[in-house]
Amino acid sequence: MRQAALTALALCCAADAFLPPSVKKGNKLQATGDRWYCGEGVKYPRGAAGMPPAPPPETGGYSHEPQLFEFWADTDYDYEVALARPLGIVFEEIGTASQPRGVKVIDIGGNAAASGKVSVGDVLVGVTAVRYIGGEYLGKARPERDIFPASQMDFDTVVDAISSNEEPELSELKIVPHASDVILRMRKA
């Protein structure tokens, strides 16, 4: 009986140890950059929910670029979907090589079909991509995942953006759900 009470007390005291760092008070994921976009339903700065009216002040030599901040808040799309790779989507470029206007879906299968959201003819409005911020001037390069407007991207740029969604080798990021999924903002055909 005494052993069970001590075990219960130890579990209650250690319960905070099971919370992801992003949930613990005052703890930020310092190993990544300021942002790691996790979706429209996730609270800012990890997502687009509850965004402030203007970009927050600069932190650590880098701030949220106004154009990207506005795109995060933009609701001119029909749905957002997070898909593991391979996506199961065949894209086709819209426009011309000299004037790309994004890509549209011409076939689906695999993860896209399993999601039940993606349809042939849907147009890609935004796509997550990982970039490394930092270097000699700003200190050690750290990964940030933003969602970028895709309406002016050519096919190769879309493929590069999708390919960049790799989960960094950081133990702190392992607790971010679906950290390596590709998040797509789509407009129905």
Side-chain angles (χ1 to χ4, degrees):
M1 176 79 160
R2 184 168 189 252
Q3 181 67 25
L6 287 174
T7 303
L9 177 62
L11 285 174
C12 288
C13 292
D16 190 44
F18 295 105
L19 293 176
S22 59
V23 175
K24 293 179 185 178
K25 286 186 176 181
N27 193 349
K28 293 182 181 176
L29 297 178
Q30 298 294 332
T32 62
D34 293 334
R35 287 171 307 287
W36 191 269
Y37 188 81
C38 293
E40 63 190 350
V42 177
K43 188 174 183 206
Y44 186 83
R46 297 271 181 217
M51 289 184 63
E58 185 175 309
T59 59
Y62 185 75
S63 63
H64 202 162
E65 298 158 45
Q67 301 87 346
L68 289 179
F69 180 84
E70 290 170 14
F71 185 71
W72 276 38
D74 188 3
T75 57
D76 189 21
Y77 60 96
D78 293 315
Y79 65 94
E80 192 173 273
V81 62
L83 299 173
R85 291 182 303 155
L87 303 182
I89 299 176
V90 178
F91 288 108
E92 179 180 69
E93 191 168 84
I94 303 170
T96 64
S98 61
Q99 288 189 310
R101 295 185 337 194
V103 296
K104 68 179 181 179
V105 177
I106 61 169
D107 196 16
I108 62 167
N111 291 325
S115 77
K117 290 185 173 183
V118 184
S119 301
V120 171
D122 291 356
V123 175
L124 182 66
V125 174
V127 60
T128 52
V130 175
R131 60 185 176 172
Y132 284 78
I133 306 299
E136 217 172 286
Y137 174 69
L138 296 174
K140 183 180 176 187
R142 57 200 194 279
E144 290 192 344
R145 180 167 75 173
D146 259 313
I147 188 157
F148 294 89
S151 62
Q152 300 302 312
M153 290 182 181
D154 62 18
F155 180 84
D156 292 336
T157 305
V158 169
V159 170
D160 288 344
I162 290 168
S163 299
S164 74
N165 282 270
E166 286 289 331
E167 184 173 353
E169 297 288 326
L170 303 168
S171 62
E172 291 93 340
L173 204 55
K174 300 290 184 204
I175 53 83
V176 175
H178 312 290
S180 61
D181 284 0
V182 180
I183 300 176
L184 307 170
R185 283 189 178 177
M186 307 291 286
R187 186 173 296 123
K188 287 284 187 188

